[in-house]
Amino acid sequence: MTDFNWNIVTDLRDMWQWPFMRQAFEAGTIIAVVAGIIGYFVILRRSAFATHALGHVGFSGAAGAVLVGVNPVYGLLLFTMGGGSGMALLGRRAATRDIEIGTVLAFMLGLGLVFLSLYNGNASEVISILFGDIEGVSAAGVLLTLEAAIVVLAVLALIYRPLLFSSLDEDVAEAKGLPLLALNLGFMLLLAVAISFAVQVVGVLLIFALMVTPAATAVQLTKRPLYGLIVSVAVALFSIWAGLFIAWYEQYPPSFFIVTISFALYVAVRSGFALSRRFVRREVAAPNLDAAAGPGSV
Amino acid sequence: MSALSVLSPSRDDDSIAIRANHVQVGFRNKVVWHDATFEVRRGEFTAVIGPNGAGKTTLFRLLLGLQRPSFGSLEVLGAPPRRGNRRIGYVPQRHTIDNETHVAADALVRLGATGSRWGPGFSYRAQREAAAEALDAVGASELGSKSLGSLSGGELQRVFLAEAIVGNPEMLLLDEPLSNLDIRRSRELVEVVHHLVQSRHVTTLLVAHDINPLIECLDKVVYIANGHVATGPPESVLTSSSLSELYGVPVEVLHDSRGNIVIVGGENPHEERGRR
């Protein structure tokens, strides 16, 4: 390992001489794109708690998979897709049914605990499910992540407008003949897949920082759905790249830096807006009131 | 029923937007209302009035094909109702949007035209222009670039109206657009709707609690109460005798000096019914 140098290109080149770092950047990039885009819909559909819960549901799947000796990602996929389907089938507003979701979540975590106590192997595997281990992604893992991402993005491109429509104006979308249940189910399955792979980067406990925070930052910055998707991906991408970069020089896990950067960007944008809004309000308060009271011209 | 359809001359069919024949509607064993027979002509502005829970929204669900009549026949724009009819624009009472919705208003309006199409299709000039034109038609050009979450109740209703008309529908169904507006904003919105009805010849049904902001521009009233539906011009439906018959108890319709209407005595029997 070489020391940090202000020429970032040569720094990255140094890191990428190591296959595990190359794979970490590759997997991180793919996941940032998927998480950023899916996250935007999570925000629009008010499914943040469902996202958090699916991560935890995935934990017992991953723990079960470790117990029977298969790749944890398959356990994650099985459980998150099962949980996501269940939430979708609960009904149209299921994504905001916090009590039902929380009840199932607690039960599933309990199940995960049983799997853990039955498992006598290496504890580091469990830690990596909980907090992520992006530097441990294999070349085969990157390929699997890429395949999953292509499927998710292809389906999302197909349902983009109906999903956006049903997220914003459910009753009109229904009257227009859109299949709300199928769209909801489709979205929850995409979310489940995205979570299952994002767990590699930050783990089930920190999934919020990758699936929700970048999109929450993006919606503060732009009102255009397309730009929202782009900014959300950019924030996720920056968090992962910068997190990996810093972790190369500092002896703390990359998850910590990724989550911290994602959080810092959110706080910066929110507080920046709060400040500018306070400033702007003072400037335009009076004319704004006048405009609101003006007669509605037809 | 076949006798009736023989009686109505076929040359009239083009001018009829809604034809209801002894329509009954209900959920499971409970009948919401029954024996509704009425016609709405094309280009008419109709208010759907009645107490809470009388089945006003249910009428819209029938027209949109989201629910079927349990008895009788219903025709909308010359065909049985079907879900996803692009010739109908709809503004529901319930909306997913709140002040945390950071999405530009014209993005929603554009979805009114293209939201049910599959594939990405991010942005075309024609779509943007159609959205701008729809916003202009409801006097809301300046709202297009604003975030939905930042709009007031009256502004939001205009945006929803633009979303509903962006595909140039032949019929508009507006569910309680006035419910959260003060009297002045109500009248402004009614003016906008009335202008649309006249300039685009679009058949419009508007559900409202209070008839007063609407009374001057209405062609017809559909009054739903007590399981019955009464239809006709406002001056013949909104009378003490007609509403007493509808409710089945004495009801009085009072007029003030400015033409406002107050309906007294009708709401109680319905509420009793609802509680049972």
Side-chain angles (χ1 to χ4, degrees):
Chain A
M1 283 191 204
T2 48
D3 285 332
F4 175 68
N5 152 357
W6 280 104
N7 186 343
I8 291 181
V9 176
T10 53
D11 288 338
L12 283 173
R13 204 170 287 152
D14 281 344
M15 289 175 206
W16 290 349
Q17 284 172 351
W18 302 78
F20 79 91
M21 279 307 274
R22 250 193 339 261
Q23 286 149 16
F25 273 90
E26 286 165 0
T29 304
I30 300 165
I31 289 163
V33 172
V34 173
I37 292 176
I38 293 282
Y40 186 77
F41 286 97
V42 168
I43 297 282
L44 274 193
R45 299 176 74 83
R46 304 290 139 80
S47 305
F49 184 61
T51 304
H52 176 77
L54 276 185
H56 285 51
V57 167
F59 168 71
S60 33
V66 169
L67 180 64
V68 297
V70 300
N71 186 345
V73 85
Y74 294 118
L76 272 159
L77 279 171
L78 182 71
F79 274 55
T80 54
M81 289 174 95
S85 310
M87 288 181 198
L89 295 174
L90 265 177
R92 283 165 61 164
R93 296 250 136 230
T96 54
R97 283 193 186 162
D98 294 354
I99 292 168
E100 287 93 330
I101 292 172
T103 306
V104 175
L105 153 72
F107 166 69
M108 294 304 281
L109 274 180
L111 201 61
L113 183 63
V114 172
F115 292 153
L116 277 190
S117 64
L118 289 172
Y119 176 66
N120 297 315
N122 191 349
S124 77
E125 186 120 38
V126 175
I127 295 290
S128 76
I129 294 164
L130 288 175
F131 295 104
D133 181 17
I134 190 172
E135 290 176 350
V137 179
S138 64
V142 172
L143 194 64
L144 188 64
T145 306
L146 182 65
E147 287 164 356
I150 288 170
V151 172
V152 168
L153 294 180
V155 175
L156 204 59
L158 180 70
I159 66 173
Y160 175 75
R161 280 182 292 184
L163 187 65
L164 194 61
F165 198 17
S166 71
S167 306
L168 279 174
D169 209 345
E170 209 170 36
D171 286 10
V172 178
E174 184 191 25
K176 294 262 178 189
L178 287 176
L180 292 188
L181 183 65
L183 279 171
N184 197 15
L185 183 62
F187 176 71
M188 291 309 278
L189 290 176
L190 295 180
L191 178 61
V193 176
I195 288 171
S196 300
F197 286 91
V199 161
Q200 298 175 101
V201 183
V202 286
V204 294
L205 291 182
L206 308 178
I207 201 79
F208 214 84
L210 210 51
M211 296 295 306
V212 181
T213 314
T217 308
V219 297
Q220 300 291 329
L221 291 172
T222 174
K223 299 178 291 238
R224 303 278 156 201
L226 180 59
Y227 299 157
L229 295 174
I230 293 169
V231 174
S232 177
V233 167
V235 171
L237 210 51
F238 179 79
S239 304
I240 291 179
W241 276 53
L244 276 171
F245 191 91
I246 299 170
W248 178 255
Y249 299 101
E250 297 291 333
Q251 292 309 306
Y252 297 103
S255 300
F256 165 69
F257 294 111
I258 293 169
V259 168
T260 305
I261 293 163
S262 152
F263 171 69
L265 287 172
Y266 177 74
V267 170
V269 167
R270 279 307 289 257
S271 51
F273 268 86
L275 283 176
S276 71
R277 219 169 271 156
R278 181 174 298 175
F279 179 71
V280 169
R281 198 178 296 144
R282 209 170 286 153
E283 298 264 303
V284 299
N288 219 8
L289 279 176
D290 284 351
S297 54
V298 179
Chain B
M1 244 172 292
S2 56
L4 276 174
S5 56
V6 171
L7 281 175
S8 55
S10 57
R11 63 183 164 79
D12 252 17
D13 277 2
D14 282 358
S15 64
I16 302 297
I18 299 171
R19 175 175 280 139
N21 235 326
H22 301 288
V23 172
Q24 174 181 311
V25 66
F27 301 96
R28 296 186 189 92
N29 298 324
K30 189 175 166 272
V31 173
V32 179
W33 41 260
H34 67 276
D35 204 22
T37 300
F38 62 89
E39 279 176 355
V40 173
R41 304 177 78 81
R42 288 197 184 235
E44 274 185 338
F45 188 6
T46 304
V48 181
I49 309 279
N52 280 333
K56 305 187 293 286
T57 299
T58 308
L59 173 63
F60 278 12
R61 292 184 61 83
L62 287 183
L63 297 172
L64 289 165
L66 298 172
Q67 199 175 327
R68 304 208 167 281
S70 42
F71 184 80
S73 73
L74 186 63
E75 247 180 44
V76 181
L77 300 170
R82 62 178 176 85
R83 200 160 85 96
N85 191 341
R86 280 165 193 264
R87 295 159 74 196
I88 303 179
Y90 173 46
V91 177
Q93 186 177 6
R94 206 179 54 128
H95 289 276
T96 330
I97 286 153
D98 60 23
N99 54 11
E100 291 293 310
T101 307
H102 299 279
V103 174
D106 59 0
L108 178 69
V109 175
R110 215 178 298 165
L111 284 169
T114 62
S116 42
R117 294 190 201 153
W118 303 96
F122 285 115
S123 180
Y124 298 111
R125 172 181 263 180
Q127 290 175 20
R128 279 200 299 274
E129 282 170 0
E133 193 236 343
L135 281 163
D136 192 44
V138 297
S141 305
E142 76 286 359
L143 302 180
S145 59
K146 289 195 179 169
S147 158
L148 287 166
S150 71
L151 301 182
S152 71
E155 290 172 331
L156 265 180
Q157 285 301 334
R158 283 179 190 223
V159 171
F160 294 145
L161 203 53
E163 178 195 356
I165 63 165
V166 71
N168 286 316
E170 295 161 49
M171 182 181 288
L172 270 180
L173 303 180
L174 314 175
D175 198 349
E176 298 270 16
L178 311 178
S179 62
N180 289 319
L181 307 183
D182 59 38
I183 295 170
R184 202 175 129 199
R185 300 269 179 273
S186 293
R187 290 194 191 272
E188 280 173 14
L189 192 71
V190 168
E191 254 176 61
V192 171
V193 173
H194 190 217
H195 176 75
L196 284 176
V197 175
Q198 292 185 321
S199 61
R200 301 185 169 214
H201 200 64
V202 53
T203 313
T204 300
L205 278 77
L206 188 153
V207 168
H209 264 101
D210 181 12
I211 187 110
N212 289 313
L214 297 158
I215 197 94
E216 282 163 30
C217 18
L218 287 180
D219 299 305
K220 189 166 277 181
V221 171
V222 172
Y223 202 110
I224 306 179
N226 203 21
H228 299 277
V229 179
T231 322
E235 59 275 12
S236 65
V237 173
L238 301 170
T239 61
S240 299
S241 62
S242 139
L243 292 187
S244 296
E245 201 188 318
L246 188 68
Y247 279 104
V249 293
V251 173
E252 255 194 278
V253 178
L254 310 173
H255 296 261
D256 77 358
S257 55
R258 298 163 74 191
N260 286 323
I261 290 178
V262 185
I263 294 162
V264 188
E267 310 279 326
N268 293 337
H270 175 80
E271 282 172 11
E272 297 279 321
R273 226 175 102 88
R275 263 186 227 120
R276 204 159 40 200

